């Protein structure tokens, strides 16, 4: 597979990000020339540099001169502002600027494309499908918004004819893709800072479904009312639709008959095309079981055998930051999770409750984005009430500027059903959390920001206290 002509010498601004680093991996594997920059070093750089990427820390116009003749294109994400010196220089020099999704769409050419979309579960479902197809020796190319625990990679240039990609609705950029197989896990208003209204957010999924190839298929969750409505509209427009979940009824669907959770995951029983089978899911929660069934149905559509897909799903080891085990200190287990929407938080905490057995659940939660915190403070508080002890940090603003009156206190003050602690001082969170846990507890750090770095620090603090006692 050749490098797309427009990307033969690509410069990626923000190359350390999940989406950008994945594109860089695939370009390098195909023999392309890649340069890039980011504001700070990251774990992705070591691999990319070893593959030949030229990466600079800090962003300046001179970074566009890494290769003779300059880049054939500069690739950016929605997060890159027009004032960025490299983007401004590219505009001034007349260098084509491509959105990350446009670059990924170019890499998809010549493949049968499977795109996984939805408000929640995109990364896990994409990862499950990828691992299941790999188990069937199909060697798909893939681009995922997280690192597979099996390989540590978020992207790969495969030898097969299938390309599996996570489709990001946050900025509407998934409308660049034209998949043969499209999965929609659920539709629930989010990213209103970009879309503006819940109606506009829902509408973009309708537009995405219209991008499916004429002989393609939509796979939608029948248990999620908005996704089910989306599927009904698509069917009325002539799109072939398959459904999965407990509410799926047609013979071609994947109907969930039962789910039995345990401390290490669960077993889901599925009726698929006239047969019943049990699928082992090694990550906890019925929401993860539904993701596995979606991956199973998509894999079948891509031509993989059911038995091989089921075996691959049973071997799925998870994704970095999706209920990722960080370690144990004495009788306390510590995990990290990316959940940053109320529905995700609630679903994950229900799963954590099963994994905790008889122990308490302690959650250290960092709200992500001021707009999301303001819009969903009450919903976050209700979800966090499923834990026993809750530590709420201040908001991780990411791309947003602080908003007066919006802080983690909006959530903490509304939590009921759990002991809650609001701690806006980041440096004080580790000793606070370590002082809350008891033997047998399960602690999970949760959120899309830098809370992910606290797990190892909490473990170290627990070990230090144990040595001093």
């Amino acid at each position: 597979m050749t490098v797309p002509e427009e990307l033969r010498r690509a410069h990626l601004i923000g190359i350390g990000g999940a989406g950008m680093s994945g594109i860089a991996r695939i370009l390098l594997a195909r023999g392309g020339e890649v340069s890039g920059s980011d504001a700070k070093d990251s774990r992705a750089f070591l691999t990319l540099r070893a593959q030949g990427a030229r990466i600079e820390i800090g962003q300046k116009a001179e970074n566009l001169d890494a290769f003779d003749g300059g880049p054939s294109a500069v690739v950016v994400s929605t997060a890159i502002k027009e004032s960025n010196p490299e983007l401004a220089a590219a505009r001034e020099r007349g260098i084509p600027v491509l959105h990350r999704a446009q670059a990924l769409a170019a890499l998809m050419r010549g493949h049968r494309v499977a795109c996984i979309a939805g408000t929640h579960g995109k990364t896990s479902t994409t990862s499950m499908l990828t691992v299941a197809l790999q188990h069937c020796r199909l060697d798909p190319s893939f681009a995922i918004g997280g690192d597979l625990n099996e390989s540590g990679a978020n992207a790969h240039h495969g030898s097969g004819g299938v390309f599996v990609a996570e489709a990001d609705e946050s900025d509407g950029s998934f409308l660049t893709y034209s998949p043969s197989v499209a999965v929609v896990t659920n539709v629930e208003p989010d990213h209103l800072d970009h879309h503006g209204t819940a109606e506009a957010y829902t509408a973009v999924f309708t537009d995405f479904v219209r991008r499916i190839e004429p002989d393609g298929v939509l796979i939608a969750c029948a248990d999620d009312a908005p996704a089910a409505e989306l599927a009904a509209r698509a069917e009325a427009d002539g799109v072939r639709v398959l459904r999965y979940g407990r509410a799926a009824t047609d013979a071609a669907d994947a109907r969930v008959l039962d789910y039995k959770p345990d401390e290490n995951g669960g077993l889901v029983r599925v009726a698929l095309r006239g047969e019943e089978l049990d699928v082992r899911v090694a990550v906890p929660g019925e929401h993860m079981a539904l993701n596995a069934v979606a991956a199973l149905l998509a894999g079948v559509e891509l031509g993989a055998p059911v038995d091989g897909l089921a075996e691959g799903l049973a071997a799925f080891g998870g994704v970095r930051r999706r209920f990722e085990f960080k370690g144990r200190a004495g009788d306390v287990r510590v995990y990290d999770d990316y959940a940053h929407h109320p529905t995700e938080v609630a679903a994950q905490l229900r799963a954590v409750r099963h994994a905790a057995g008889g122990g308490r659940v302690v959650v250290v939660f960092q709200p992500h984005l001021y707009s999301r915190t303001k819009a969903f403070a009450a919903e976050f508080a209700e979800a966090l009430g499923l834990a026993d002890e809750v530590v709420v940090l201040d908001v991780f603003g990411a791309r947003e500027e602080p908003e007066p009156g919006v802080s983690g206190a909006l959530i903490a003050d509304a939590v009921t059903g759990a002991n809650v602690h609001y701690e806006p001082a980041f440096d004080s969170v580790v000793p606070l959390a370590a002082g809350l846990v008891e033997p047998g507890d399960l602690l999970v750090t949760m959120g899309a920001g830098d809370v992910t770095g606290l797990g190892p620090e909490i473990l170290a603090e627990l070990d230090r206290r144990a040595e001093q006692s």
Side-chain angles (χ1 to χ4, degrees), residues 11-16 36-40 56-63 80-81 84-87:
H11 180 82
L12 281 64
I13 304 177
I15 195 171
S37 65
D38 217 318
K40 59 183 180 180
E56 298 292 336
I57 306 302
Q59 297 177 331
K60 51 189 182 294
E62 306 90 86
N63 291 342
I80 303 301
K81 298 180 179 179
N84 180 284
E86 294 176 16
L87 177 55

Side-chain angles (χ1 to χ4, degrees), residues 130 133-142 156-162:
T130 297
L133 292 173
Q134 288 174 331
H135 187 83
C136 297
R137 302 185 183 278
L138 295 183
D139 191 24
S141 296
F142 65 85
H156 167 69
H157 168 56
S159 60
V162 171

Side-chain angles (χ1 to χ4, degrees), residues 17 61 95 115 168 238 335-336 379 388 463:
I95 300 171
C115 284
D168 182 15
Y335 290 79
D336 181 49
E379 291 84 352
D388 297 296
D463 286 337

